[in-house]
């Protein structure tokens, strides 16, 4: 089980041979996008089913703990008093505090249990809208300044909204050409090797998941976006999915993109689509 | 109240949930802390400072639950249970700068089943000593602590 | 201090998280100066005037110490007291309702 | 257990092998020129989204060394940055064309 060792030169040859047969046909009008995407979802989820036959599909929302019993028992012990609990309380307080103009987050999001409405592709604006982006847009629409995207108050509000949305099904639609292009952009990001280490998301979270990479078992790529924001022991704080993306990219010695950049929003879109059929269970706690 | 009352009050704000009331300082004499044992910098000294020269025997009447590989050295969850008539239970991490981590003094109505989260600076033996019948009973386990990597 | 206590099979099962930095005295701040040790040294619980839990802690217990234990007696609806003190003499005490 | 160091060096090595000869070497003869070339190359890698993590700090270090009068060290640092940026650009071009071939089965 060591496909990552494939020499790039070799892959390059293979690539040239089959490239013409497999090049994306994504830009054509009138294609059955939901069917194309469903094929990808099925293939992607089957990869993990084959790799971890003992793991229930629904359990992938628990990340690496779905495949590592020793780590799981430590995590379960930590969840006795989840380290994000205080942040959720603070997020609730922020959520309920009125803005200067008298409205509040509830004006935009009702009771806040809207996690499963994000991310989605906004046809008018031709871009993916994430929950964190929507939170800040709610603020600016009400005359408040934007919050930082990686941690702090925005992560807390997002954590609260995720908490009250726990159990909502992940079911992201990709129904238009624009949506499909954003999806394909995220897909390309996920499978492209980058950085000085020449590693893709898929190298760690598909090929190497379940194996040790130095001291760590990379989590399965399936279910990764279900449990953010996440409180990491390493951060000693709550962080958003895009903060984690930035950390991952730096680990492979690639320059990270900004949180809520088109690259990371499209990656979140693709990854969430891949987890269709699971449920949102954020906020999470991780090492 | 004295100065600690003020510090105490600042902490009250941080306490949430589950609490029905905050009461006055208890009628407790805080004078039991084994400073010399907690200050010891090697395992043998720490044990002697804590327990004198009681005989030590390995025992399988102590159940120690600890990870084989710690997720993070800053938070290593451990649980200890024993059927011995324990007077105290102490946790030592051999390679920590101060090996004695914590010590439970068993009270008449207290069950001998405890959990705690400790720090481990490096891969090390975790040693649990149970004091019972004027002797020390021991169980131990290695816990690997890794650094670096990308964090799952 | 967060405490969850529930009566179960004649015992009260207690899980508690004590908000405390647990500074080891070995860490350095941004200027390279040692941050003085600041850690909880003792934790205890009292029920009906009787001590039912006592633990001595060193600085190698994790930040925001988590402790779980159980004691005999005590019924749902009753209360007991959880208290801690640290090496600077700061302390906190809380009355907890058993569920 | 996968040894990632072996893995990484094999990957980086194979990347370098794959790319050697594809890009022309820098023609700079002094540190100032080398820094300028590294900046151009790194900008090109960044424009397609493939800038590496440390390249910009090598360039910054090179500038600092140059300002301190350490011409040789500045040249070395800028050269390292240039080589990194060159590989990053080639990596990006390669991936943009061929990423579909890297989907694990």
């Amino acid at each position: 089980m060591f496909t990552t060792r494939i020499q790039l030169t070799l892959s390059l040859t293979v690539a040239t041979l089959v490239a013409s047969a497999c090049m994306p046909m994504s830009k054509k009008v009138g294609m059955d996008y939901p069917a194309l995407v469903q094929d990808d979802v099925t293939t992607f989820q089957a990869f993990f089913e084959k790799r971890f036959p003992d793991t229930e599909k629904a359990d992938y929302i628990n990340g690496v703990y779905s495949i590592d019993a020793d780590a799981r028992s430590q995590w379960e012990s930590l969840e006795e008093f989840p380290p994000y609990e205080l942040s959720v309380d603070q997020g609730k307080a922020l959520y309920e505090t009125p803005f200067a103009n008298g409205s509040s987050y509830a004006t935009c999001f009702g009771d806040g249990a809207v996690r499963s409405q994000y991310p989605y592709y906004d046809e008018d604006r031709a871009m993916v809208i994430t929950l964190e982006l929507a939170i800040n847009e709610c603020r600016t629409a009400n005359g408040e300044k934007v919050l930082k995207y990686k941690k702090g108050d925005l992560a807390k509000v997002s954590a609260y909204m995720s908490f009250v949305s726990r159990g909502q099904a992940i079911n992201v639609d990709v129904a238009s050409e624009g949506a499909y292009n954003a999806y394909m952009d995220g897909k390309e990001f996920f499978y492209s090797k980058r950085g000085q280490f020449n590693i893709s998301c898929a190298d760690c979270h598909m090929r190497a998941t379940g194996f040790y990479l130095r001291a760590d078992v990379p989590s399965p790529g399936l279910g990764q976006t279900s449990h953010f924001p996440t409180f990491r022991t390493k951060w000693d704080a709550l962080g958003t999915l895009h903060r984690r993306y930035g950390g991952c990219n730096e680990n492979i010695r690639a320059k990270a993109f900004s949180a809520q950049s088109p690259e990371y929003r499209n990656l979140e879109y693709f990854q969430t689509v891949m987890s269709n059929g699971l449920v949102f269970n954020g906020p999470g706690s991780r090492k | 109240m004295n100065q600690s009352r003020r510090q105490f009050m600042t902490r009250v704000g941080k306490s949430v949930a589950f609490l029905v009331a905050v009461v006055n300082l208890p009628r407790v004499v805080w004078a039991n802390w084994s400073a010399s044992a907690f200050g010891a910098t090697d395992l043998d000294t720490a044990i002697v400072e804590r327990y004198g020269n009681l005989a030590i025997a390995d025992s399988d009447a102590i159940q120690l639950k600890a990870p084989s590989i710690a997720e993070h050295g800053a938070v290593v969850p451990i649980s200890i249970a024993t059927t011995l008539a324990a007077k105290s239970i102490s946790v030592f991490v051999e390679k920590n700068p101060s090996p004695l981590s914590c010590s439970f003094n068993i009270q008449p109505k207290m069950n001998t089943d405890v959990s705690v989260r400790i720090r481990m600076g490096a891969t090390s033996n975790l040693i649990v000593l149970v004091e019972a019948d004027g002797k020390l009973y021991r169980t131990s386990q290695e816990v690997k602590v890794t650094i670096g990597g990308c964090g799952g | 201090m967060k405490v969850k206590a529930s009566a179960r099979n004649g015992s009260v099962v207690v899980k508690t998280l004590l908000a405390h930095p647990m500074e080891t005295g070995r860490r350095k701040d941004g200027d390279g100066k040692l941050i003085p040790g600041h850690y909880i040294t003792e934790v205890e619980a009292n029920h009906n005037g009787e001590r039912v839990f006592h633990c001595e802690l060193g600085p190698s217990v994790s930040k925001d110490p988590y402790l779980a234990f159980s004691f005999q007696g005590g019924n749902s609806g009753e209360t007991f007291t959880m208290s801690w003190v640290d090496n600077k003499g700061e302390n906190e005490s809380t009355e907890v309702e058993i569920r | 257990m996968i040894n990632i160091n072996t893995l990484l060096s094999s990957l980086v090595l194979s990347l370098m092998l794959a790319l050697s000869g594809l890009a022309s070497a820098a023609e700079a003869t002094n540190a100032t020129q080398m820094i300028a070339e590294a900046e151009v190359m790194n900008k090109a890698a960044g424009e397609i989204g493939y800038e590496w993590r440390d390249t910009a700090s090598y360039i910054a270090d090179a500038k600092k060394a140059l300002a301190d009068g350490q011409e040789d060290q500045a040249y070395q640092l800028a050269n390292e940055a240039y080589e990194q940026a060159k590989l990053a650009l080639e990596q990006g071009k390669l991936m943009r064309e061929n990423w579909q071939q890297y989907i694990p089965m």
Side-chain angles (χ1 to χ4, degrees), chain A residues 5-16 193 198, chain D residues 10-11 13-20 22 94 102:
Chain A
R5 273 190 189 280
I6 291 175
Q7 297 287 302
L8 199 68
T9 42
L10 180 63
S11 329
L12 197 56
T13 321
V14 178
T16 326
K193 294 171 183 289
N198 199 38
Chain D
S10 103
L11 286 170
L13 184 66
S14 60
L15 180 66
M16 293 170 82
L17 286 175
L19 300 175
S20 59
L22 292 183
L94 180 69
Y102 294 85

Side-chain angles (χ1 to χ4, degrees), chain B residues 2-60:
Chain B
N2 53 19
Q3 185 198 9
S4 60
R5 171 73 182 178
R6 283 203 311 278
Q7 292 158 330
F8 159 59
M9 289 308 291
T10 62
R11 292 200 172 278
V12 172
K14 296 175 188 167
S15 307
V16 279
F18 313 116
L19 309 185
V20 291
V22 176
V23 297
N24 283 337
L25 294 177
R27 318 159 301 277
V28 178
V29 182
W30 298 106
N32 293 322
W33 198 63
S34 322
S36 59
F38 281 103
T41 53
D42 68 89
L43 180 64
D44 292 345
T45 310
I47 294 174
V48 169
E49 290 293 339
R50 179 68 181 81
Y51 287 116
N53 288 306
L54 296 183
I56 302 177
D58 287 326
S59 168
D60 53 14

Side-chain angles (χ1 to χ4, degrees), chain D residues 5-75:
Chain D
N5 289 324
T6 316
L7 167 67
L8 293 175
S9 49
S10 103
L11 286 170
V12 172
L13 184 66
S14 60
L15 180 66
M16 293 170 82
L17 286 175
L19 300 175
S20 59
L22 292 183
S24 59
E27 290 170 5
T29 52
N30 64 45
T32 310
Q33 282 175 23
M34 196 71 239
I35 289 169
E37 290 201 25
E39 281 182 321
V40 168
M41 191 64 88
N42 199 37
K43 188 158 175 281
E47 275 166 0
I48 60 167
Y50 278 82
E51 183 176 337
W52 289 2
R53 184 187 68 187
D54 301 332
T55 315
S57 34
Y58 274 105
I59 294 173
D61 287 351
K63 286 179 174 172
K64 194 165 171 295
L66 188 61
D68 292 347
Q70 295 172 294
E71 170 87 24
D72 281 357
Q73 202 194 343
Y75 186 91

Side-chain angles (χ1 to χ4, degrees), chain A residues 65 70-71 73-74 77-78 80-81 85-86 89 212 214-219 232-234 244 251 287, chain B residues 14 16-18 65-72 74-78 117 146-152:
Chain A
Y65 309 121
D70 189 47
S73 109
Q74 296 176 63
S77 154
L78 217 60
E80 297 266 10
F81 275 106
E85 204 169 297
L86 204 57
D89 292 346
Y212 275 93
R214 287 176 73 184
D216 289 318
V217 179
S219 59
R232 292 188 71 199
T233 310
K234 179 180 169 178
R244 191 68 181 97
N251 284 338
K287 70 192 237 181
Chain B
K14 296 175 188 167
V16 279
F18 313 116
K65 190 181 164 207
S68 50
I69 301 176
E71 281 253 277
H72 200 291
V75 190
V76 183
I78 62 171
R117 297 173 189 161
T146 55
I147 25 178
C150 10

